[in-house]
Amino acid sequence: AWDVGQASITEHDRRHAKLRDYLANGARDLREVARLIRPHLEAFLRVVYPEHFTPGTMLGPFIRLCEQQVGSAQEILDVASIQELRDLNEYARRYHHQGWETERVNDGELRGFVDRALRFTRR
């Protein structure tokens, strides 16, 4: 029998649950949790800003686009939100580029960034 409830759970839902679970219970593999932040943000931005964050868009170019639009009728994010997204991206990119496999993960720092990422995606 087909379980419609299970079939409707997306990768974004799974990432979100893992990030929340980490805040509540911790995790064995901190690097895995750190790697979830960026795709979680990207999936959120694709849903909330589909005309600006199309498939294949990267966070850096999106942030630059947002900066260019500040104060205009086409403003996407305000200055504070852009800075928060920039900070989250700077942290998350450490776990997505060359050398991520050996990047040390500080549990306290990770906890703060996971919390910030989840708060950012509650907009």
Side-chain angles (χ1 to χ4, degrees):
W2 181 49
D3 184 341
V4 71
Q6 278 299 105
S8 66
I9 297 173
T10 67
E11 283 303 309
H12 182 69
D13 296 327
R14 285 183 189 85
R15 280 190 302 269
H16 188 88
K18 285 180 183 179
L19 292 171
R20 283 191 345 259
D21 184 60
Y22 164 69
L23 288 181
N25 303 307
R28 286 185 175 165
D29 189 347
L30 299 180
R31 193 171 288 111
E32 176 192 355
V33 174
R35 285 188 53 80
L36 296 175
I37 294 171
R38 187 172 182 148
H40 184 70
L41 292 169
E42 290 171 342
F44 169 78
L45 294 169
R46 282 196 182 96
V47 170
V48 177
Y49 304 105
E51 67 278 13
H52 303 292
F53 203 94
T54 57
T57 300
M58 304 291 274
L59 283 174
F62 176 75
I63 291 168
R64 285 190 291 282
L65 175 64
C66 291
E67 290 170 333
Q68 293 167 1
Q69 302 297 335
V70 168
S72 74
Q74 293 80 32
E75 185 173 274
I76 302 164
L77 293 173
D78 62 30
V79 173
S81 297
I82 293 169
Q83 184 60 52
E84 182 65 357
L85 187 57
R86 185 184 297 114
D87 291 348
L88 290 165
N89 184 42
E90 283 301 310
Y91 178 80
R93 72 191 309 238
R94 292 169 23 193
Y95 305 98
H96 283 272
H97 294 285
Q98 188 174 23
W100 71 267
E101 300 94 342
T102 58
E103 183 75 31
R104 294 191 56 158
V105 182
N106 175 289
D107 186 47
E109 182 182 39
L110 176 60
R111 187 168 295 280
F113 277 98
V114 167
D115 182 58
R116 288 169 66 180
L118 290 174
R119 280 188 280 125
F120 186 88
T121 60
R122 283 191 205 123
R123 302 171 183 267

